[in-house]
């Protein structure tokens, strides 16, 4: 579980990971996306040249108050794609390393509690 945040950070995604439930070989890991390093995300998913171009644009913006807004706007454009692609990527990488079935489910904050309770009831 501790390697998940580290490996995600290599792709420009800052995340936390915690085991929220464990019984025998079954466990549930909650992964929360905390932030994105736009330059790194572009480098990993597009190319080094495109990330350098984006960095040059950021460097040219001479209004410090505007840069956070631009980054926030770009993140809002990228986040839905990251949320769609990340679960499948994690699943593929985990199944290559584990001899186990891996199920990745994306839930909102309000859906997590009921899901966890239902899962625990189904196990017991």
């Amino acid at each position: 579980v501790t390697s998940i945040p580290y490996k995600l950070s290599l792709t420009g995604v800052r995340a936390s990971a915690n085991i929220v439930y464990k019984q025998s070989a079954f466990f549930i890991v909650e992964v929360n996306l905390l932030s994105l390093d736009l330059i790194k995300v572009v480098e990993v998913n597009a190319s080094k040249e495109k990330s350098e171009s984006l960095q040059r644009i950021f460097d040219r913006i001479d209004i410090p108050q505007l840069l956070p807004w631009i980054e926030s706007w770009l993140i809002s454009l990228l986040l839905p794609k990251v949320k769609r692609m990340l679960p499948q990527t994690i699943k593929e990488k985990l199944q290559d390393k584990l001899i186990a079935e891996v199920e990745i489910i994306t839930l909102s904050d309000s859906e997590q509690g009921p899901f966890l309770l239902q899962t625990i009831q189904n196990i017991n």
Side-chain angles (χ1 to χ4, degrees), residues 13-53:
V13 177
R14 195 167 71 87
S16 64
N18 300 302
I19 295 177
V20 293
Y21 181 79
K22 183 176 181 187
Q23 181 177 336
S24 300
F26 177 81
F27 61 96
I28 297 173
V29 177
E30 176 184 44
V31 178
N32 290 303
L33 298 179
L34 304 173
S35 65
L36 297 175
D37 174 347
L38 286 176
I39 304 301
K40 187 69 172 176
V41 168
V42 170
E43 179 181 332
V44 170
N45 293 289
S47 68
K48 179 82 170 159
E49 293 77 27
K50 288 183 180 181
S51 71
E52 289 171 350
S53 294

Side-chain angles (χ1 to χ4, degrees), residues 14-113:
R14 195 167 71 87
S16 64
N18 300 302
I19 295 177
V20 293
Y21 181 79
K22 183 176 181 187
Q23 181 177 336
S24 300
F26 177 81
F27 61 96
I28 297 173
V29 177
E30 176 184 44
V31 178
N32 290 303
L33 298 179
L34 304 173
S35 65
L36 297 175
D37 174 347
L38 286 176
I39 304 301
K40 187 69 172 176
V41 168
V42 170
E43 179 181 332
V44 170
N45 293 289
S47 68
K48 179 82 170 159
E49 293 77 27
K50 288 183 180 181
S51 71
E52 289 171 350
S53 294
L54 182 60
Q55 184 63 58
R56 281 192 298 276
I57 291 168
F58 283 171
D59 290 344
R60 288 183 186 152
I61 296 173
D62 199 24
I63 306 169
Q65 298 85 356
L66 190 57
L67 191 56
W69 182 85
I70 292 170
E71 285 183 337
S72 176
W73 178 73
L74 288 171
I75 287 171
S76 72
L77 294 176
L78 287 173
L79 201 52
K81 184 177 180 181
V82 170
K83 284 183 175 180
R84 274 193 322 274
M85 295 176 65
L86 192 59
Q88 186 59 34
T89 303
I90 291 173
K91 182 175 181 172
E92 289 167 1
K93 291 188 180 204
L94 285 176
Q95 285 191 309
D96 287 345
K97 295 182 180 194
L98 301 174
I99 303 173
E101 184 177 333
V102 177
E103 182 77 26
I104 307 258
I105 301 167
T106 306
L107 300 171
S108 68
D109 289 344
S110 62
E111 296 169 320
Q112 289 176 14

